[in-house]
Amino acid sequence: MLALVVTPRVVRALPVPGAHDDTSAASLLQRMRASWSHPYAGYVESAGALALPASAQFESVAALLGARTQLRVWWRAADDWRVDTLSPTGEQSTRTSPSGVWVWDFEDNRVTRTVAERPGEVRLPRDADILPPQLAARLLADASPAEVSRLAAVRVAGRVADGLRLRPSAALSSIGRVDVWADRASGVPVRVDVFGRTAAVPAMSSTFLDFAATAPPVTDIQFQPPPGSRLRTGTRPDVVGIVRRFAPAEPPEELLGMPRTAAPVGLEAVGQYGHGVTQLVVAALPPRLARSLRSQLRLATGVAALPEGLEVAAGPVALLLTERAATGQDWLLTGTVTPEGLVRAATELAASPRSSP
């Protein structure tokens, strides 16, 4: 048992060859981006420190971003992979293929079959999103060479990994920095740490403890419903369905000096602004939904009652539910902008002309 605890620490302490090589930050960024389609397999541990307000509908999201999660992954392609989420009492296995998705809950002995995900589909965060390669792909997608710098190489899962630091240039970004290390041999990101502006510890950290930069065999990801399991056909939660149907107003074309990005067809009631790691999402909530969310937020830890509405921040993620009397609508604002930025956005919403979605 002592060897199991001590050995990983000894491996991390070994000298790293070429810890300060001459590869530029821009070149390393490009190498990471070139690895997005690279297959891999391994064991991942993530730790989140985001104490998000939770409801029954979003309990799994709060747990994913605010707790420790262990994952086993076999990744062949973006539409061909398997991820097992491990727990002390069992596991939940997700198998994704071009024909659809199987989710097996070990504890309930239940298998759920859903159709394949559509490009651009809005959904809740899932366990696979916190794998280092997937997390890095989202965070570094819009990073500019001017925003990145080099970090010394470290050992991750016993392999040499080259480091890159992203410091967002947006003044209202609530993310202070994102540190990413990529496997030197393959370029695949193997560790990601996300920090708020003032926090000394990561708000989210994800790292491989075991890693292989090779395509796992098909036999490793094949799935057959276990004998005696309960089978059902399911649908993924429609995150914005109720907003799309009953939203009383449509967000403006610009907020905080940021143009609104194009929304997928049917999601015009939800406004998204910003780029890279600095994102703002805005929606006008129907009165009944706003009342329900307001009741939950009043019970949340760290919630602040402002003239504009109820505001709560969990690390670099902030949320503001405005008061109708202050802004003319029940607006929900959330994203990786500072709390002060959310208040400014609420003020702009109050002054903007309102239109039906």
Side-chain angles (χ1 to χ4, degrees):
M1 179 63 71
L2 180 61
L4 293 176
V5 174
V6 172
T7 300
R9 297 180 181 177
V10 172
V11 170
R12 286 196 296 268
L14 293 175
V16 177
H20 298 281
D21 63 14
D22 294 329
T23 303
S24 69
S27 297
L28 181 56
L29 176 63
Q30 287 301 111
R31 188 157 188 260
M32 290 186 187
R33 287 173 172 167
S35 77
W36 293 165
S37 60
H38 198 293
Y40 57 88
Y43 179 81
V44 171
E45 184 172 270
S46 77
L50 303 179
L52 299 175
S55 65
Q57 296 88 347
F58 301 104
E59 182 179 357
S60 61
V61 179
L64 182 65
L65 302 181
R68 190 172 298 275
T69 305
Q70 290 80 37
L71 306 167
R72 187 74 189 177
V73 55
W74 299 264
W75 194 278
R76 292 173 56 85
D79 60 354
D80 189 16
W81 52 269
R82 172 182 164 187
V83 170
D84 292 353
T85 305
L86 311 178
S87 71
T89 57
E91 67 182 57
Q92 178 173 289
S93 182
T94 301
R95 165 69 174 109
T96 293
S97 71
S99 62
V101 180
W102 292 95
V103 178
W104 176 47
D105 191 308
F106 174 86
E107 294 180 64
D108 290 341
N109 196 25
R110 184 181 68 247
V111 177
T112 303
R113 170 76 167 178
T114 59
V115 298
E117 183 178 313
R118 300 185 302 272
E121 180 177 345
V122 176
R123 58 171 174 78
L124 292 173
R126 63 189 178 197
D127 294 355
D129 292 335
I130 61 174
L131 296 170
Q134 305 310 307
L135 191 56
R138 289 176 179 272
L139 296 173
L140 298 179
D142 294 327
S144 69
E147 294 178 307
V148 296
S149 59
R150 283 298 310 270
L151 294 172
V154 299
R155 289 187 182 273
V156 179
R159 300 164 68 101
V160 177
D162 295 313
L164 186 76
R165 172 166 292 172
L166 165 65
R167 288 193 181 275
S169 58
L172 292 176
S173 178
S174 58
I175 292 181
R177 70 181 193 271
V178 177
D179 294 344
V180 182
W181 284 266
D183 175 49
R184 179 171 291 181
S186 64
V188 176
V190 289
R191 174 180 162 187
V192 180
D193 293 337
V194 183
F195 292 83
R197 280 180 172 266
T198 59
V201 297
M204 169 63 70
S205 180
S206 181
T207 184
F208 277 98
L209 301 183
D210 177 70
F211 175 77
T214 55
V218 174
T219 53
D220 284 351
I221 63 174
Q222 287 178 334
F223 178 80
Q224 292 292 331
S229 59
R230 295 177 294 157
L231 302 178
R232 71 183 181 96
T233 300
T235 57
R236 285 182 293 277
D238 187 356
V239 181
V240 296
I242 190 171
V243 175
R244 180 175 63 239
R245 290 193 297 270
F246 303 112
E250 185 175 332
E253 291 303 313
E254 182 177 297
L255 270 180
L256 301 178
M258 300 182 295
R260 182 179 174 184
T261 58
V265 175
L267 301 182
E268 294 83 0
V270 178
Q272 184 172 344
Y273 308 84
H275 71 280
V277 299
T278 307
Q279 298 282 338
L280 173 63
V281 178
V282 176
L285 301 186
R288 183 176 179 181
L289 181 57
R291 286 194 298 270
S292 175
L293 181 57
R294 190 171 286 111
S295 296
Q296 297 173 43
L297 287 178
R298 289 195 178 105
L299 302 176
T301 301
V303 66
L306 307 176
E308 294 78 11
L310 297 178
E311 186 177 64
V312 61
V317 179
L319 179 150
L320 172 64
L321 177 61
T322 71
E323 294 288 351
R324 178 177 291 268
T327 56
Q329 294 286 348
D330 297 303
W331 293 102
L332 176 65
L333 303 88
T334 187
T336 51
V337 299
T338 62
E340 296 79 10
L342 290 186
V343 171
R344 280 179 50 187
T347 301
E348 292 183 17
L349 286 169
S352 67
R354 293 185 291 276
S355 61
S356 298

